[in-house]
Amino acid sequence: MTDIQSEIGYVTSCEDYLFYLEGLPGARINDLLVADDGSRALVAALAGNRVQALMLDAARPKPGAPFHLSSDGIKIPLGHYLFGRTISPLGRPIDGRTGLPLDGPVLNLDITAPGIGKREMISEPLITGFTVVDTLIPIGLGQRELIFGDARSGKTSFLLDTIIAQKEQNIVCIYAAIGKPEIDTKRFANVIEQTGASAYTIIIAATSSQPAPLIAIAPATAFFVAEYFLHQGQDVLLILDDLGIHAKYLREIALLAKQIPGRESYPGGIFYEHSHLMERAGRFIPELGGASITLLPVIETELENMTNLIPTNLMSQTDGHILFSAGLRSQGWYPGIEWDRSVTRVGRQTQSLMQKLLSTKIRTLLSEYKELQGFIKFETELTAVTQTKIKQAQMAEEILRQDSQQAIPAAVQLILFALIFTTFLEPKETEFVRTNKRKLINAIARTSALTGLAVDPGLNDLESFLAKVDEQTGVLEEACK
């Protein structure tokens, strides 16, 4: 039997970070190669009697350079000491702080996702603190929800606020910065540190200044870390930002390797590359930890390019999508989500009956208002009933607007929406909601008689729920004086 530690291959040709070697009869795909100077490469393909490899470090090999086949592989340190740290896809700290253990499990870049028999039904919600998401487009623990939209549409702020909102939820947050500028990654890490979210957050960063092969393996490393905590029985929120950039680097590598290009010059296996990752998210049986990995893949694309290859691939692989609009953001909306063009396929099954009923009522109200706006422009005479609907819809829109880092508990969100249909807000105008929204939120949060209604199992129809809320609004009048 050959001792692979003694195997040596010699570079025959190279093109930037991609090179070919002769020798290494024991090499397999994704094995680690190490040069005499310590620089590392990954076996990418076996072509006849040659080995194709990709450099993971900035060094560039020259013809004749020797590479040893390592039996150690890429070791990723795993443990709670990763919280608050920023590491590379190779598991090394890049935040300028103290070192991490050099030992750990060997990174497996080709893990097969657990089958359907290892999964459980998604039944609990991920609380983001955003009314538009938690009530209208709910996300369940274990769901895969695509986040996409224009540049400068507020996606990054939304992701930050979602991580911050997990402070009391006992959820591990992992943010993978894939091909992002280094300054943006540092800015993100600083906000995480300043808000106290570093106590449960890990950042895995492969910035735009790093080699393409390192960026290409960043999502796999993020999943590898996420699955460690999953097997410890902890729910994980995993954010991959951004898979559009990731796809472009995979395309660059494939073209450099002279692979036959497919649609939009992407490699033929691009669908597999992403779906192979997506399937590793979900809610799993006790034998696998009894917890979940909730996946928020991100892609930045202009709305007119939604039908391009990568956006449509990712939409088909996820359980829904949340669409962000730079136009809404520029108008002062936060989060700038187009709720009527966003989809959640499994999130609604995590909601209570009252959440479902009230969410449907609000969505219907807002849809009718959108249709009525055409009549309003032409100053068409409107009936009293229509005028009431318009006012209620405008109040609902005001409730959907939030400030950054101002998470609203799910129970408070429900009561806020319910107030629209009570005698408390009936005589008031939208300006009252705009001016007193924070007072209302605080008053509802400290009034157990109101928040208790949001989770009362005895209430099984919407009219009864609204009537009960109406009975308890006296305390809100006092709070808004």
Side-chain angles (χ1 to χ4, degrees):
M1 183 176 177
T2 303
D3 179 6
I4 64 171
Q5 283 184 303
S6 64
E7 287 189 19
I8 301 177
Y10 294 91
V11 177
T12 58
S13 62
C14 53
E15 295 182 52
D16 199 11
Y17 50 76
L18 184 146
F19 61 100
Y20 293 89
L21 307 98
E22 288 185 346
L24 302 174
R28 296 174 297 177
I29 303 296
N30 292 331
D31 275 351
L32 183 68
L33 304 177
V34 182
D36 288 343
D37 62 0
S39 56
R40 293 155 294 182
L42 204 63
V43 175
L46 305 177
N49 61 348
R50 295 195 305 167
V51 173
Q52 183 191 95
L54 300 169
M55 287 300 303
L56 297 173
D57 295 306
R60 295 293 179 263
K62 295 180 180 179
F67 275 81
H68 299 260
L69 185 60
S70 170
S71 61
D72 291 336
I74 301 171
K75 293 186 176 180
I76 306 294
L78 296 175
H80 285 73
Y81 45 74
L82 289 178
F83 291 137
R85 303 301 303 271
T86 300
I87 63 172
S88 75
L90 300 179
R92 295 295 170 256
I94 53 175
D95 51 11
R97 295 164 58 187
T98 56
L100 293 169
L102 296 177
D103 204 7
V106 175
L107 173 63
N108 186 346
L109 294 172
D110 198 30
I111 293 176
T112 301
I116 191 68
K118 300 293 180 67
R119 298 170 183 267
E120 291 189 340
M121 182 175 176
I122 293 172
S123 58
E124 297 178 45
L126 173 79
I127 304 301
T128 68
F130 290 104
T131 306
V132 64
V133 175
D134 296 341
T135 303
L136 301 187
I137 323 161
I139 301 172
L141 289 178
Q143 185 169 340
R144 298 158 298 183
E145 186 79 356
L146 178 63
I147 306 296
F148 80 111
D150 303 316
R152 297 176 297 280
S153 57
K155 298 186 300 298
T156 302
S157 297
F158 169 81
L159 296 171
L160 269 170
D161 285 350
T162 299
I163 291 175
I164 294 167
Q166 306 313 310
K167 189 172 293 185
E168 306 298 330
Q169 306 301 324
N170 193 30
I171 292 178
V172 173
C173 297
I174 300 174
Y175 175 78
I178 305 168
K180 309 289 279 187
E182 186 174 347
I183 186 65
D184 290 349
T185 304
K186 286 183 177 179
R187 190 180 296 120
F188 194 99
N190 287 339
V191 175
I192 292 295
E193 183 73 31
Q194 292 163 8
T195 56
S198 56
Y200 52 86
T201 302
I202 302 165
I203 296 176
I204 297 167
T207 63
S208 55
S209 61
Q210 293 178 308
L214 193 63
I215 296 170
I217 69 170
T221 300
F223 262 106
F224 190 73
V225 176
E227 285 163 345
Y228 166 79
F229 290 101
L230 169 74
H231 296 149
Q232 305 296 314
Q234 291 188 270
D235 290 312
V236 180
L237 170 61
L238 174 58
I239 298 170
L240 302 180
D241 186 13
D242 129 351
L243 286 187
I245 295 174
H246 181 250
K248 290 176 182 177
Y249 279 102
L250 291 179
R251 177 171 61 185
E252 177 187 308
I253 293 170
L255 292 174
L256 193 62
K258 297 181 175 58
Q259 294 181 19
I260 298 173
R263 181 179 164 190
E264 297 176 28
S265 296
Y266 286 104
I270 191 68
F271 186 91
Y272 169 82
E273 291 287 351
H274 283 160
S275 62
H276 195 60
L277 290 167
M278 300 288 182
E279 288 300 316
R280 290 164 68 178
R283 186 163 192 85
F284 301 98
I285 60 175
E287 286 80 355
L288 294 181
S292 64
I293 296 177
T294 306
L295 178 63
L296 299 183
V298 183
I299 181 169
E300 184 172 290
T301 181
E302 296 176 0
L303 300 189
E304 58 267 24
N305 295 332
M306 286 172 57
T307 56
N308 286 358
L309 178 63
I310 302 305
T312 52
N313 273 359
L314 293 174
M315 279 190 218
S316 69
Q317 296 164 12
T318 50
D319 306 312
H321 57 266
I322 297 178
L323 176 59
F324 283 76
S325 166
L328 285 177
R329 189 72 182 97
S330 65
Q331 294 170 27
W333 278 89
Y334 183 73
I337 293 174
E338 293 199 24
W339 62 269
D340 53 336
R341 298 175 66 185
S342 299
V343 176
T344 179
R345 298 190 182 94
V346 297
R348 295 195 183 285
Q349 66 196 31
T350 70
Q351 290 186 308
S352 67
L353 177 61
M354 282 305 110
Q355 283 177 311
K356 291 176 184 175
L357 293 175
L358 193 53
S359 171
T360 300
K361 189 175 181 68
I362 292 294
R363 292 177 73 95
T364 302
L365 177 67
L366 291 171
S367 297
E368 291 176 349
Y369 174 58
K370 201 168 186 177
E371 294 176 4
L372 286 169
Q373 283 178 317
F375 297 100
I376 298 170
K377 289 177 184 177
F378 296 107
E379 299 183 0
T380 307
E381 187 173 342
L382 304 173
T383 65
V385 173
T386 302
Q387 289 176 356
T388 298
K389 283 188 176 181
I390 290 172
K391 186 175 76 170
Q392 289 175 336
Q394 289 172 340
M395 288 181 174
E397 285 190 335
E398 192 56 47
I399 289 171
L400 291 177
R401 295 174 185 258
Q402 288 184 225
D403 296 324
S404 181
Q405 299 183 27
Q406 294 290 334
I408 303 176
V412 176
Q413 295 175 17
L414 196 65
I415 300 301
L416 272 175
F417 274 137
L419 291 178
I420 296 171
F421 308 103
T422 64
T423 56
F424 171 68
L425 287 181
E426 184 179 352
K428 299 178 175 64
E429 299 300 323
T430 307
E431 184 59 33
F432 174 84
V433 177
R434 183 178 298 114
T435 305
N436 295 281
K437 185 164 61 174
R438 181 47 54 185
K439 291 180 182 178
L440 289 171
I441 291 170
N442 293 337
I444 293 169
R446 61 174 179 260
T447 306
S448 57
L450 280 170
T451 54
L453 291 172
V455 293
D456 187 348
L459 294 172
N460 53 19
D461 71 272
L462 188 57
E463 294 307 315
S464 298
F465 172 70
L466 295 177
K468 290 283 187 182
V469 172
D470 209 357
E471 293 172 3
Q472 302 292 334
T473 55
V475 65
L476 301 181
E477 292 280 11
E478 291 295 321
C480 295
K481 284 183 179 177

